[in-house]
Amino acid sequence: MGAGRSSLQLQQEDVDAIQEETGFTSQQIERLWSRYSSLDKSGKGHLTREDFLRIPELAINPLGDRIVHAFFYESKNGEEDKVDFKDFVRVLAHFRPIKKNQEKNKLNTRMEKLHFAFRMYDIDGDDKISRDELLAVLTMMVGQNICPEQLLSIAERTIIEADTDRDNLISFEEFAKVLERTDVEQKMPIRFLS
């Protein structure tokens, strides 16, 4: 995938590899390529944080910054400030709706969806969710609609209920256990290909 916008092309072998990894159809990949290309206004062949923050739905989403962070965390690029098309599609695959009897891929499994959700809360990336991280994300989500004392109470109660090893942190295993009865396969999809 070259340097200028006109030379940026999606090759059939790329489509095939992306289809295999993500489970998207070739038509969906073409639509995602079109969306990706429209976000890459200067034709650099990669997206920056600023490119993502220009998406109106992300700009107004209280967790927009955490979602944008996820694109860079998941990047296989090695460079934290660039997301190429394959990284872009790989992250979106976590949100691909699952239909009954539809084949899942490794990015669209229940565990991968849970890991993705867990990373939304694990702000410092230490594989644990602290009370302060939980409080920060809750604050992002509800803003000024709930008073700080109530938010703190919610964060503390959540830690108490989820923290089975009593280290005052929520591990991924504890996070997954709390959500074991939640249908993340149906609650995490985003209709971005309609």
Side-chain angles (χ1 to χ4, degrees), residues 3-64:
R5 175 170 282 217
S6 59
S7 66
L8 286 178
Q9 294 277 317
L10 193 56
Q11 304 299 319
Q12 187 59 46
E13 66 253 17
D14 293 328
V15 173
D16 293 343
I18 292 168
Q19 199 170 356
E20 175 71 28
E21 184 178 8
T22 65
F24 285 120
T25 66
S26 57
Q27 294 84 3
Q28 290 170 325
I29 294 167
E30 291 291 335
R31 285 203 302 266
L32 289 170
W33 173 253
S34 176
R35 178 69 168 149
Y36 177 86
S37 298
S38 72
L39 292 171
D40 182 16
K41 298 233 183 278
S42 60
K44 307 173 294 288
H46 64 268
L47 300 178
T48 63
R49 290 183 189 279
E50 291 74 31
D51 293 325
F52 281 101
L53 292 172
R54 280 197 297 266
I55 299 170
E57 296 85 354
L58 281 178
I60 63 168
N61 187 317
L63 293 178

Side-chain angles (χ1 to χ4, degrees), residues 118 122-130 133 169:
F118 180 81
D122 182 19
I123 295 172
D124 64 9
D126 68 350
D127 294 327
K128 301 275 186 179
I129 300 170
S130 69
E133 288 171 316
L169 299 166

Side-chain angles (χ1 to χ4, degrees), residues 129-136 152 155-156 159 168-170:
I129 300 170
S130 69
R131 183 195 67 158
D132 290 342
E133 288 171 316
L134 186 56
L135 186 58
L152 182 59
E156 288 174 344
I159 296 285
N168 290 319
L169 299 166
I170 300 174

Side-chain angles (χ1 to χ4, degrees), residues 6 21 35 44 71-72 76 112 114-115 119 121 125 147-148 154 172 191:
S6 59
E21 184 178 8
R35 178 69 168 149
K44 307 173 294 288
F71 278 92
F72 292 89
K76 304 267 190 250
E112 279 301 312
L114 287 172
H115 272 287
R119 286 190 296 272
Y121 291 91
C147 73
I154 292 168
F172 174 73
R191 306 276 180 222

Side-chain angles (χ1 to χ4, degrees), residues 32 36 39 47-49 51-53 55 58 63-95 116 119-120 190 192:
L32 289 170
Y36 177 86
L39 292 171
L47 300 178
T48 63
R49 290 183 189 279
D51 293 325
F52 281 101
L53 292 172
I55 299 170
L58 281 178
L63 293 178
D65 190 56
R66 297 298 305 146
I67 295 167
V68 169
H69 174 77
F71 278 92
F72 292 89
Y73 178 90
E74 300 266 327
S75 175
K76 304 267 190 250
N77 221 335
E79 295 184 49
E80 280 192 33
D81 61 342
K82 295 179 181 178
V83 171
D84 66 20
F85 179 66
K86 289 178 184 172
D87 296 330
F88 178 74
V89 176
R90 210 177 276 122
V91 171
L92 291 176
H94 292 295
F95 298 100
F116 189 89
R119 286 190 296 272
M120 291 286 115
I190 297 175
F192 50 83

Side-chain angles (χ1 to χ4, degrees), residues 145-164:
N145 296 326
I146 297 179
C147 73
E149 295 78 23
Q150 286 177 303
L151 282 175
L152 182 59
S153 175
I154 292 168
E156 288 174 344
R157 275 194 325 247
T158 302
I159 296 285
I160 289 168
E161 289 175 22
D163 179 27
T164 56

